[in-house]
Amino acid sequence: MGKMSNRHYAPFLALLFGLFAQPAGAFWDPPYVTPTTATANDIVSVNEHLGVCDAFFFEDGYPQITRNGSEVKIVSAGVHLDPGDDGCNLPTGTVTYELGSFPAGHYSVTYYLRYTNFFGQVLDLNLGTAPFTIVAAPISAESAPTLTAFGICVLILALMGLSVLRIPRTGLKRLMGFSACLLFNGHANAAPSNVTIEFSLNNSPGAPTPAQVVSYYNKSPRSGAPPLQAFTVVTPQAVGFLIPDRATGDFLDWLGRYANRNSARTKLEGMMAGTVAPADVSTALAALRADPYVESANEPLVMEATSVSLQGFSVTSNTAPFFSNDQYGRDDLNIDAAWQLAGGYALVGLIEYGVAIDHPALRQFDTTLGPFTGGNFIKALSKDVSFTGLVVPSNFTVDDVDEAKPVQPADSHCTSQVPALVGHGTHAAGLVAANGASGQGVQGTCKHCGLSVWKYGLPRCFVGTPSEVRLTVNGDGISRAQAQAVDIGAQILNMSLGAPASSAGLEYCHGNATLSACRTLSYAKSRDTIDVASSGNDRTDLKFPASDPRVISVGGYNSGLAFWDESPGGTTTSCPYPNDSALNPNTECGSNKTNNTAPDPGYNHQELTAAAKSVLSTTYPNKNWNSVVKCGDQFQVAGTSWGDGIGLCTGTSMSAPQIAGVVGILRSINPLVLAGTPEPNGPWGIRAVLAKTTTEARLAPPQPWNSLFGYGHPDAAAAARKMLGTVETFQVRNRATPLFRLHSVYMKDFADVASPQFALSLMINQAHQYVQPTSYPVSGYTFTDTYAEVPGYIFPYDSVNEEAPAKARAPVYILTTEYKPRTEYPALVPLYLMRKKDAATAFTPDYLLSTPSDVQAIHAANYDLLTIQGYIYGPCGAANESTCVLPPGTERFYRACKTVDNDCATFLESEIGLFPGYTATFPLLSGSPTPTKTLLGYAYKWGDNDPNPTPGGLAGDGLPDAFEYVVGTDPTRFDSDGDGLLDKDEFPMIGVPISDPCANQAGTGTNGRYCLADKIFANGFNQ
């Protein structure tokens, strides 16, 4: 999380509102309601005039507006001094807050000022009660009331390191002399006019369906009784689905099957969001929870990014360069050494405010049609979900600055639609996978990881001097983003955000499993998508979701590799950032940690740490995220300048994406390995590999842990070595993995993918479901149900609440890293997955694989570039074919197209007969395509042919021949070194290597009698 708490939206200085038109003797007047005559369609506001000895402050969580029947209560934070105190010279003015709309009836609103007295007691001062009446009969329409001019007095307390409630009474008058008072028209803050409540239904007999509930509220006029009793108590202003992109076709069928009715994804599909007036929230929640058909109802958990909080109305300016070590965190993670083993290419879902979609270090192509630059931001797999729960179109880009995007709610004070403070997501994106070849001087921790960005940043108007648009958090959008990122096949999710333990608790999902924020974690786990989240910057317990055991929690350290804490000992005296407000001194100046160290299955502990203080990465060009804490394009290291899109930022928002990139490397080395857990005695998985290969674990085994660093500083190179394994003491340089073949009869499309998560997204989450062929209806090529089955592997799923997916099948095996196993072999080339745009064209959408030589041409033919799926040996070329040293077990691997189906497929030479009609080269444009195939390179055929040494036993040792050829074990033996341990147990394809399957023969002079490693690593290649 870049630093940010619930104080994100509060100015860092105390704000006092005044009209300067009140006699000096007044303290406060009774509240009054506007408009004075209101109908059920009007927005009602409460107004409070006060000053001299009393004032309100912008404060996180305030005003608190609740309603009990016809009685409304509003509580604002502020200061109250005794009459006669020499500090009683505060300016006077009127503050206005919207209460929303009300049904016809008689109501009253009581206004309280919450303050802390001289003795530290928190008290509520009753400022008075105002009755008001709402009439049902239509009257002439009136425009919303415009607030009168009032002053804003800015106490420069933060610059003095003081809080209003901590200074002596005699000093308040003197401090007031530093105030800068400005007049303007507008709202006191950017409080929303309504509040979103999420709720879901149970399966009780007679319960309405979610579709019936939403349909009722989308009709105009509505007829009949509401589908839920709760809505006879409070009528919501609008009701919609949490995920408005509704499942159709085969996906809808999957959700509706009885075996899947309790799956996390089915539950998320049925979750709804209703909007009510702020004063109705408590009543609406109580009514929903009492409704016999409602499973759960809650306000979405308020989460914010965890770079240091956004703080507006700054009176400071710092344009001088802020120098820092250049990407010290990347060096500490040992990324360059890891890249000598594997660069990584997994798909990372980035749940963020947005991203600079045309940043030179992120974009895939220089222009719409090329040239291909190698960037990793995937526009085709990204989506703006910031308007989730609002009746607003959502066909906007994920760019932070989208001028076509309306401010919500509309506010005349913000004449520009452009957000003033942006760049959090761009910084995080660069830390995952900035393109080092872009010439920008920064690179992420994963060289080729695809970035699927899900934008939750909602633009809203903040009234100040000047008034400005800022991106705010849409909590419903965060849950939707996570769910849909899993839908499209993300292998890792990065969440540089969180809710403090003070609001979420230490075991948030332990008692709130039905909330969307928890169901999304369950859904990700069911697909083995690895969640990574920032620990937070409050120096307290981990924020949620980092506090959930299903998530890799990431804390932070500084450039000296010490735990990041600007003011040790829990004090704030050395925190370099000003107070968020006079009532809340800023504590966001250090990484969160584990305070509750007792084992607890419902609560996560600090797991890993990465750089958090002054971290260099991509920024939104010519924009800052937070100038107060030196975060943005303005704040540079030597060699960078304003406008270049490179800058610094601070917070654990920076730590998490670095670890997400490292996870991307490991997931690419072996896409089949499960996430696992980091526990010392737990099964090996990616989290265990990271925890057991940290710098601390290597230097001081056994696996250590402490409450600050967790398991320590990850060593990406050591983790990559562990994932690759050793054979006959040599470091394995590559592995083979299945290329899953999928086919949609309706789409007339073959799709080959190596990512299990992407395969599941096609098999389950598509309208026209793809399936894995078990046979081909071609004469002479009919196979049994075991055709190309991957030994020992099943796709990840929730075995309790979901039906099992089909068996995993792969007729082709490819390699997982860019480093060839033997020097004589052809160079490796990546296989890029590309997808035809679903536009109004004459062609059916099509998935195909491409190598770098034709990416640009295919992209120009209306195909989106997605992610690398793995590597194959490149073509030798016609002139060198006869002298080319081909790896044993490989065949020519072709791409060919079938014009009548507008489809392209990839297959081995031995499979040509399975693809009749696939005889044309790409692209399928007008005219007659060349009747031939495109040789992409060489890949391995499926098969596990080890003869069983037991008479009558089945052949095959559980390791495909392709895998054994690549890593160096013997494809003709179950036990390559004769030590009594099977190769598949020592060195599993679908797991983390446990031991060396050829160690028994090392040093005997036989060069590994049964192993191939001595041949693979000939000529000192391993040196």
Side-chain angles (χ1 to χ4, degrees), residues 649-668:
C649 200
T650 292
T652 57
S653 271
M654 288 62 254
S655 309
Q658 295 173 75
I659 299 302
V662 174
V663 174
I665 295 174
L666 304 189
R667 180 129 271 186
S668 305

Side-chain angles (χ1 to χ4, degrees), residues 988-1011:
M989 182 183 71
I990 62 177
V992 178
I994 303 301
S995 56
D996 189 333
C998 291
N1000 196 49
Q1001 296 298 321
T1004 63
T1006 61
N1007 292 321
R1009 181 172 52 195
Y1010 303 134
C1011 297

Side-chain angles (χ1 to χ4, degrees), residues 948-987:
N948 196 313
T950 303
L954 296 175
D957 67 348
L959 291 180
D961 296 344
F963 181 78
E964 299 205 70
Y965 277 125
V966 172
V967 302
T969 53
D970 190 342
T972 68
R973 295 179 180 273
F974 279 47
D975 179 8
S976 292
D977 60 4
D979 65 354
L981 300 175
L982 300 182
D983 292 346
K984 71 179 182 68
D985 295 328
E986 291 192 77
F987 206 91

